Amino acid sequence: MPSPSLSQRMRTLQTKLLEIRVGSGAVTLPKDIKRIHLRFAPKLNGGHMGPRKFWQHELIRMKYHNPAVPMTIDRTAPQTEAATLSVHFTSADAPQTSGSETSSPAAVTSTSTEHNVPSEAAATERVETINMTHSTNSEILDALIRLTKAEVLEPSAEDREEMRELAEARTRSAKDAKLSAEVRARQKRERELLDQARGEVANLTA
């Protein structure tokens, strides 16, 4: 199989960079958010699949758009414990949690201490915890946006144009790859027929 060309490698890099900037998790957090901390088990069973997907997808985009906010991960929780997302607020007027949310997916609860969080938690005004167990990554993101009042970022005009150009380039590349494969298959078949014909001529003259 031929190696990717320079243009193909550049297009792959552009696509990866665009996927970090645009999509689920592209939000700007308010200035009163001091830290975000995730804690979940190393395996997926027990309701820890959604938290892992949130870490692998949404959290990457959140970090890109909020580089000054520390975002830490603890993947050593026992499988039987709840997966949690803790938000550390620095402002005393941080959003309060309603008791009715505790029974919903990705429920939010208020806590003054938490297990295995960075030591500077004591310096924050308050820590809010989202229970991520058995929640999808999109449900976790929705709960985080409700809690923090984060602003969802829509793709810019430049991003949309880049997405369109990359989509067109992928379509052209797929067509070119199909055509190249057809050409190689035809050439291989022609060589096989030529070799067969040469063998038959050799047998006749033997």
Side-chain angles (χ1 to χ4, degrees):
M1 185 175 181
S3 301
S5 65
L6 177 60
S7 61
Q8 288 174 325
R9 293 197 296 270
M10 288 297 295
R11 186 164 61 248
T12 299
L13 177 59
Q14 285 179 302
T15 300
K16 289 182 178 180
L17 291 174
L18 186 63
E19 288 175 348
I20 292 175
R21 295 200 310 270
V22 177
S24 178
V27 301
T28 53
L29 297 168
K31 294 181 180 179
D32 61 349
I33 306 300
K34 182 177 182 179
R35 178 181 293 274
I36 289 179
H37 180 71
L38 275 69
R39 186 170 189 268
F40 52 89
K43 297 182 180 180
L44 302 180
N45 56 298
H48 292 261
M49 179 181 292
R52 179 179 289 271
K53 287 187 175 181
F54 180 85
W55 162 53
Q56 293 174 332
H57 300 284
E58 280 75 11
L59 195 70
I60 292 175
R61 298 187 185 99
M62 284 176 56
K63 184 60 180 177
Y64 175 86
H65 291 286
N66 303 272
V69 179
M71 300 181 186
T72 53
I73 310 294
D74 175 10
R75 290 185 288 161
T76 64
Q79 287 300 140
T80 54
E81 286 192 7
T84 57
L85 187 159
S86 302
V87 183
H88 298 238
F89 292 93
T90 59
S91 175
D93 60 354
Q96 299 293 323
T97 302
S98 68
S100 61
E101 289 180 316
T102 58
S103 61
S104 62
V108 181
T109 57
S110 180
T111 177
S112 56
T113 60
E114 75 180 296
H115 186 62
N116 269 9
V117 297
S119 59
E120 60 263 37
T124 60
E125 293 290 340
R126 187 157 54 93
V127 179
E128 295 279 356
T129 301
I130 296 174
N131 186 344
M132 303 186 292
T133 314
H134 295 293
S135 296
T136 65
N137 49 325
S138 60
E139 289 172 340
I140 296 167
L141 178 63
D142 289 342
L144 180 64
I145 291 173
R146 290 196 304 270
L147 173 65
T148 62
K149 296 182 171 56
E151 179 185 358
V152 178
L153 299 175
E154 298 296 334
S156 65
E158 292 79 8
D159 288 334
R160 288 194 293 270
E161 177 63 19
E162 186 174 352
M163 285 189 287
R164 184 190 64 78
E165 292 176 352
L166 288 172
E168 291 179 352
R170 284 193 296 270
T171 300
R172 289 195 302 271
S173 180
K175 290 181 179 179
D176 292 343
K178 182 180 179 181
L179 180 60
S180 296
E182 291 174 350
V183 170
R184 288 194 299 271
R186 184 172 66 251
Q187 291 173 340
K188 179 181 179 181
R189 180 57 179 164
E190 289 173 351
R191 287 194 299 269
E192 291 173 348
L193 291 174
L194 181 59
D195 290 343
Q196 181 180 350
R198 286 172 176 169
E200 292 174 354
V201 171
N203 291 333
L204 291 174
T205 57

